[in-house]
Amino acid sequence: MKNFNIENRVHHFGLDHLEVFWTFKNEEVFDALDFDNSNYSELDEYKITKNEVPKYKYKIIFTKGEYSLFAYYKWIPKSEKQPVGTRDYITVYSTAFKLLEYEEILWFLEWHMNLKHCRRFDICMDLKIEIDELLSDYFDSYKTGRDYRKSWKTETRYYWEMMNSKNKRQLIRVYNKITDILVKKKIALYQDYLVEDNITRIELEIRPELAKVRNYRDVFDNALLIGIFKNYLYKYSKVFEQIQGERITLFNAKKIKLNAEDYQSLYYKTQKKAMFVAYARTAYNLWFCPVRVLIAEGYIQEKTKDLLWVRILEDIIRKEIDARIQARENDYIKNNIDEILGNYYKYGKL
């Protein structure tokens, strides 16, 4: 790897997109808005626009000036026409993170809504370096992903996992941010970018499976975001290890709590079942009942005892044991009666 001081090349780092599940504190405010004569109204300092979107009742966009900052999606209950139910969620667009401070965004969200867990959040880092140089010199070779090129130059590279289950967790995009600004006509918003020769954006999209493990307030902490960013970029590039902070994973192995009966069901699904049955078959073929062997050895659960009337069987088994002991004693007395009587006479007990 070439000598590269990443901290001197960072133009911007932080949240770039956020989606959070929520419920409104006072939703009747929106129900009372007049959308009859047009599709927009006003609320506080925002112009709000009501739009139709698939799978949702409606979408309302909050606009200030010429920029859309927030949008909320109103859910539709599960029905025959809508077989998969949806949930209300609020989106914070990248424009909001460009124009507003974190505190202003949090104030807007918490003033109107009871927020729940995250649906998605994107972390971005903008570096003052040409994209092909960054990818060729500081990123490892990759097996999965895709390049989009124009005039033999890379405009975007995606990194993703071959397993669909992992694609549900995160996606990485590396792209030419200046080209993106020009194509989307956001020149007025990103004038500070256009004075640079090159800006490459590395964008980490955290998807619902991982996003839900963090409270929405957590993701407004840049120290946490650095740790998450470093962790999920580490597989593809070690250059971000120069930045201070420990890598942080969002994946938590699920701890399964089973009661005794559930665990027994799980056990029988494993290959050990075959071994257990083989031993039982051997005992059965030798005229031993495997169940009675287990009962005699005490390997039986309390609920199973009640189910099989084992408590009655235990009494029977104890009586059988006592009978065998008594029988052995009787046999011994019968076979050794002369010696026993002689000892009694010898020691003065007769």
Side-chain angles (χ1 to χ4, degrees):
M1 183 187 298
K2 295 181 180 179
N3 186 26
F4 181 74
N5 188 331
I6 191 170
E7 293 187 350
N8 293 338
R9 301 287 192 99
V10 175
H11 185 76
H12 169 74
F13 176 83
L15 273 177
D16 188 62
H17 183 93
L18 176 64
E19 297 175 5
V20 186
F21 292 112
W22 57 275
T23 55
F24 261 114
K25 293 179 179 178
N26 189 17
E27 193 167 42
E28 52 267 24
V29 170
F30 294 91
D31 293 335
L33 291 174
D34 182 16
F35 288 107
D36 294 335
N37 300 320
S38 65
N39 71 331
Y40 76 91
S41 185
E42 292 184 357
L43 181 68
D44 297 335
E45 70 272 33
Y46 293 98
K47 172 185 174 181
I48 59 176
T49 309
K50 194 173 186 179
N51 305 269
E52 293 184 2
V53 289
K55 299 182 180 180
Y56 287 84
K57 187 175 181 181
Y58 55 75
K59 168 187 174 183
I60 289 184
I61 300 176
F62 295 76
T63 303
K64 182 181 287 188
E66 59 183 297
Y67 299 111
S68 298
L69 303 183
F70 308 96
Y72 87 80
Y73 293 75
K74 178 61 183 174
W75 73 301
I76 298 177
K78 185 177 179 181
S79 65
E80 292 183 5
K81 293 183 178 180
Q82 178 78 18
V84 179
T86 55
R87 298 173 62 188
D88 297 347
Y89 74 92
I90 182 79
T91 295
V92 184
Y93 291 130
S94 60
T95 313
F97 290 107
K98 180 64 177 173
L99 294 176
L100 305 177
E101 298 293 331
Y102 282 170
E103 291 77 10
E104 296 177 84
I105 294 172
L106 277 170
W107 181 89
F108 172 84
L109 296 176
E110 295 178 339
W111 178 257
H112 294 291
M113 303 156 201
N114 294 311
L115 296 166
K116 299 179 182 178
H117 61 266
C118 294
R119 183 177 187 267
R120 168 188 161 184
F121 61 91
D122 295 4
I123 308 169
C124 72
M125 178 178 288
D126 296 322
L127 296 177
K128 293 181 279 189
I129 186 174
E130 197 269 331
I131 185 171
D132 280 321
E133 180 185 350
L134 177 68
L135 292 172
S136 62
D137 293 345
Y138 304 106
F139 273 69
D140 300 333
S141 59
Y142 65 101
K143 295 181 180 179
T144 55
R146 179 175 294 179
D147 281 359
Y148 290 91
R149 295 174 174 269
K150 187 174 182 180
S151 301
W152 302 102
K153 286 186 174 290
T154 304
E155 289 193 348
T156 305
R157 176 178 291 178
Y158 290 89
Y159 292 91
W160 59 63
E161 299 289 344
M162 195 170 293
M163 294 174 60
N164 289 333
S165 60
K166 292 187 177 180
N167 277 327
K168 293 178 182 178
R169 298 174 186 168
Q170 74 274 339
L171 175 68
I172 297 168
R173 291 179 287 269
V174 182
Y175 59 93
N176 186 323
K177 183 58 180 175
I178 291 179
T179 299
D180 180 72
I181 293 168
L182 297 175
V183 169
K184 294 180 179 177
K185 299 180 180 180
K186 294 185 176 180
I187 296 171
L189 196 60
Y190 288 92
Q191 291 183 13
D192 57 316
Y193 281 66
L194 299 177
V195 299
E196 302 292 340
D197 293 331
N198 297 286
I199 297 284
T200 298
R201 169 161 290 193
I202 304 98
E203 196 169 82
L204 171 64
E205 177 186 329
I206 302 296
R207 295 181 166 182
E209 187 173 320
L210 292 180
K212 67 184 179 183
V213 306
R214 283 291 179 174
N215 181 275
Y216 71 92
R217 271 193 161 267
D218 292 346
V219 298
F220 286 87
D221 180 358
N222 272 2
L224 173 73
L225 297 182
I226 281 287
I228 296 170
F229 188 85
K230 288 177 61 176
N231 185 70
Y232 291 97
L233 267 294
Y234 185 79
K235 180 177 179 180
Y236 305 102
S237 176
K238 308 301 184 290
V239 71
F240 304 102
E241 290 300 291
Q242 297 179 34
I243 303 172
Q244 290 186 350
E246 296 293 324
R247 297 196 300 272
I248 297 172
T249 181
L250 294 171
F251 178 75
N252 291 321
K254 294 181 180 178
K255 295 180 180 179
I256 302 174
K257 292 184 178 180
L258 296 174
N259 61 36
E261 292 184 357
D262 291 334
Y263 186 80
Q264 183 171 317
S265 175
L266 181 64
Y267 171 81
Y268 274 100
K269 292 178 182 178
T270 68
Q271 61 181 3
K272 292 184 180 180
K273 172 190 172 184
M275 185 184 301
F276 180 83
V277 172
Y279 283 125
R281 186 183 299 112
T282 300
Y284 183 80
N285 290 336
L286 293 173
W287 297 89
F288 288 101
C289 174
V291 176
R292 292 190 62 177
V293 172
L294 293 174
I295 292 171
E297 295 295 328
Y299 293 111
I300 184 167
Q301 295 175 354
E302 293 300 316
K303 289 184 178 180
T304 309
K305 287 182 179 181
D306 294 332
L307 180 65
L308 297 179
W309 291 8
V310 167
R311 301 188 197 286
I312 297 174
L313 292 176
E314 285 178 332
D315 290 339
I316 294 172
I317 290 172
R318 276 195 294 270
K319 290 178 180 178
E320 288 180 349
I321 292 172
D322 291 343
R324 284 197 297 270
I325 293 172
Q326 186 64 45
R328 285 197 295 270
E329 290 180 351
N330 291 340
D331 287 342
Y332 180 81
I333 293 171
K334 179 180 178 181
N335 297 327
N336 299 278
I337 185 64
D338 293 336
E339 181 181 354
I340 292 171
L341 291 174
N343 286 333
Y344 270 89
Y345 179 78
K346 180 178 178 181
Y347 295 108
K349 294 183 177 182
L350 285 176

